[in-house]
Amino acid sequence: MTFNQIFERFSSRYLPASLSDAAMMRFRALGRALPVIREAPVSLDENADHLVYVCSGATKLVAHASAGRDQVVAFHFPDELIAVPARAEHSYTLYTVSPSELLVFDYADFADLARGEPAVLRMLLDCARKSLGRCRDKSLALGRKTAPERLAGFLVGMAVRIGAPQDDITFLDLPMSRRDIADSLGLTIETVSRQFTLLREQKIIETVGKSGVRIRDLLALEARAGYLIEAA
Amino acid sequence: MTFNQIFERFSSRYLPASLSDAAMMRFRALGRALPVIREAPVSLDENADHLVYVCSGATKLVAHASAGRDQVVAFHFPDELIAVPARAEHSYTLYTVSPSELLVFDYADFADLARGEPAVLRMLLDCARKSLGRCRDKSLALGRKTAPERLAGFLVGMAVRIGAPQDDITFLDLPMSRRDIADSLGLTIETVSRQFTLLREQKIIETVGKSGVRIRDLLALEARAGYLIEAA
DNA sequence: TCGATTCATTGATCGAGATCAATGAGAATC
DNA sequence: GATTCTCATTGATCTCGATCAATGAATCGA
């Protein structure tokens, strides 16, 4: 895919149609397309925040603690926008999880340019708030939920984001490895694997190869996820 | 403190000086002051997002999971601005942690009004991004750090935010209880207490009554917090 | 001033999930 | 098509932090 095609996708999804051609060109001038990259860290300058558009593929944002312990802070799928923070007390790295086409901006430059375009600022705000909402839910899961609840919640979230519903079964093709899932849920690969086995034994899911999951009972999965019982 | 005084503090901190009087009045019309409230949940409509300015006191934003398990998502101190989300899979409640004066806005109304004021939108964006950064760091702590690291990191963070440096000692007056700290760190009160005892035994801190902490060795605390070793 | 209540600390024991260790199942390389 | 390599699964054991149970210290109301 060419830079123009990638930028076109980005702009049609995230820039207002009302934007003038001149303004559009200015945003375009800030973007840099990263061609298809196989599973690898995305090399970004650690001293600045970045804004990354996932055109195709999938990525994970990883926070690094000492002793090589990693925490996947978020996964991202096509047509999503991510803010990648500069290095601070902890460093963050964006990795592709499958071959991906990305569009990268310097966050500060982009936000500065957006000062003249309230609709773009509003879009950045909505984007940050969505990430914040997900991150808060994740904090709750990491701080207070059990391993079965975490995996159930993860699968429900993935079903919503990348699930393919067929009849009353939802099919998932998970692009990330068990290690990635473990690093996202604050567990080990072994525990994740055991939880998959339990869900399989209870006929709630079936697994197809390494990455396929057929969700047979989404309601049971939601019930396991430790969500609050819906108030009336 | 009167509504006008509270709004004045808010606007001088968060609204641009360049704002027209008319625009200022429109923002003011959206605000509602909550007078000094003793430690209690802040009653907000659960069906809408809110924007809350902490004028004095301290608050905690709590996420509720089933079975009464609570996770403190963030603490807030004077002059800070919080986005309180509406109920979704999980419900969130803002609590005062000490007597507080708050200024409350409906988030959607505020953001809509800000469409005409890019500087205000930019402020909301910065605010959301700061919360997101903190939340990501918290996810790392909850997912991958040990109890000693979590308490050390918590104390370092509090030292930065509400610490009173005197000579080479930083004094902290923690407004929140051990339960709040435990709910923030994903631990139990007992574990938090034991970690305080350990830090005391190692002469890194002294505790003064229930809420006072004298940090004698901030560097040791930072070393314990599991931050990445600074790269060159 | 004295219980009563709440909150922090300390000790004893337990258990969910980590760690250690082996095996199994694909996919990539030649 | 055998040979690695990598990744997922399963089992055995261990450990950190949870849970259960007292005790101590402050604050509050009468």
Side-chain angles (χ1 to χ4, degrees), chain B:
Chain B
M1 232 179 169
T2 67
F3 172 81
N4 280 343
Q5 288 173 309
I6 294 176
F7 186 84
E8 166 61 26
R9 282 220 191 176
F10 164 72
S11 63
S12 67
R13 172 71 177 79
Y14 285 107
L15 297 180
S18 60
L19 211 59
S20 72
D21 285 359
M24 190 69 90
M25 290 301 284
R26 264 175 263 131
F27 280 109
R28 182 193 305 245
L30 292 180
R32 176 168 62 98
L34 291 187
V36 182
I37 338 170
R38 221 178 138 353
E39 303 166 46
V42 178
S43 56
L44 300 172
D45 175 8
E46 281 208 326
N47 299 308
D49 293 348
H50 291 272
L51 188 67
V52 177
Y53 171 69
V54 180
C55 183
S56 67
T59 64
K60 59 178 176 181
L61 180 62
V62 176
H64 307 286
S66 56
R69 294 165 298 175
D70 286 345
Q71 174 66 41
V72 172
V73 160
F75 290 111
H76 317 91
F77 302 104
D79 228 29
E80 293 184 355
L81 201 53
I82 324 139
V84 180
R87 187 194 183 91
E89 281 100 349
H90 304 106
S91 91
Y92 288 83
T93 311
L94 187 71
Y95 295 83
T96 52
V97 145
S98 59
S100 306
E101 292 165 299
L102 307 177
L103 182 63
V104 178
F105 300 91
D106 179 280
Y107 199 99
D109 290 350
F110 193 97
D112 286 346
L113 193 48
R115 290 202 72 114
E117 302 289 345
V120 179
L121 272 183
R122 183 62 195 259
M123 176 281 286
L124 287 177
L125 177 59
D126 291 343
C127 175
R129 301 228 313 134
K130 184 163 205 165
S131 298
L132 179 57
R134 287 219 177 99
C135 193
R136 282 170 169 171
D137 281 351
K138 178 179 277 261
S139 289
L140 174 57
L142 294 174
R144 287 291 179 237
K145 291 194 182 180
T146 63
E149 289 173 329
R150 293 186 206 182
L151 186 63
F154 170 79
L155 290 173
V156 171
M158 287 301 123
V160 171
R161 292 171 74 185
I162 55 168
Q166 316 166 333
D167 308 312
D168 50 335
I169 282 178
T170 300
F171 185 76
L172 273 183
D173 184 20
L174 297 175
M176 70 291 286
S177 68
R178 293 288 190 266
R179 161 143 304 288
D180 291 333
I181 297 173
D183 283 348
S184 170
L185 301 180
L187 302 169
T188 58
I189 6 179
E190 292 95 328
T191 300
V192 169
S193 187
R194 277 182 250 269
Q195 294 307 325
F196 265 109
T197 302
L198 285 176
L199 290 174
R200 221 183 289 119
E201 284 170 358
Q202 296 179 239
K203 311 286 187 202
I204 294 173
I205 65 167
E206 289 164 15
T207 53
V208 184
K210 281 184 179 174
S211 66
V213 178
R214 294 165 58 83
I215 299 177
R216 306 190 50 156
D217 191 348
L218 191 56
L219 289 177
L221 218 47
E222 283 169 356
R224 277 202 172 213
Y227 294 151
L228 273 188
I229 293 79
E230 285 303 322

Side-chain angles (χ1 to χ4, degrees), chain A residues 16-61:
Chain A
S18 60
L19 211 60
S20 72
D21 285 358
M24 190 69 92
M25 289 303 282
R26 263 176 265 130
F27 281 109
R28 182 193 305 244
L30 292 180
R32 177 168 60 98
L34 291 187
V36 182
I37 336 170
R38 220 176 141 353
E39 305 165 45
V42 178
S43 55
L44 301 172
D45 175 8
E46 282 209 327
N47 299 309
D49 292 349
H50 291 272
L51 188 67
V52 178
Y53 170 71
V54 180
C55 184
S56 67
T59 64
K60 58 177 177 181
L61 180 62

